[in-house]
Amino acid sequence: FRANSKALAELEANGMAKVLYNKGTGKVVAVHIIGIHAADLIQECANAVAAGTTVKELSMMVHTHPTLCEVLDEAFKGAVGMSAH
């Protein structure tokens, strides 16, 4: 959250998102989110787990700027060795 424009604008830069996934299949197993609007952000992750979506697929999806969902974009890209910027 510390590098997220929206979180900084809301003076809520403390937080983190952590993606747990199966290295063999790439499927998301769980996501931990601590920070502003975590209850809203987790919905994308719950859908990904239910649908069997991989971190690679999530890393290629658009996460709009400036929004808090960019925190998830960073987490998904980081899981597959990519950078959002």
Side-chain angles (χ1 to χ4, degrees), residues 6-31:
K6 176 78 171 171
L8 292 172
E10 302 234 6
L11 303 177
E12 295 283 349
N14 291 326
M16 56 77 91
K18 179 170 136 181
V19 180
L20 305 174
Y21 65 98
N22 181 310
K23 282 195 172 189
T25 64
K27 290 184 180 180
V28 177
V29 176
V31 178

Side-chain angles (χ1 to χ4, degrees), residues 23-71:
K23 282 195 172 189
T25 64
K27 290 184 180 180
V28 177
V29 176
V31 178
H32 302 175
I33 304 172
I34 300 169
I36 185 173
H37 297 293
D40 299 329
L41 294 171
I42 201 67
Q43 184 61 48
E44 176 182 359
C45 306
N47 289 342
V49 170
T53 310
T54 68
V55 286
K56 181 69 172 174
E57 291 169 327
L58 290 166
S59 73
M60 300 307 290
M61 292 182 182
V62 174
H63 292 83
T64 55
H65 173 77
T67 64
L68 291 170
C69 70
E70 288 179 290
V71 169

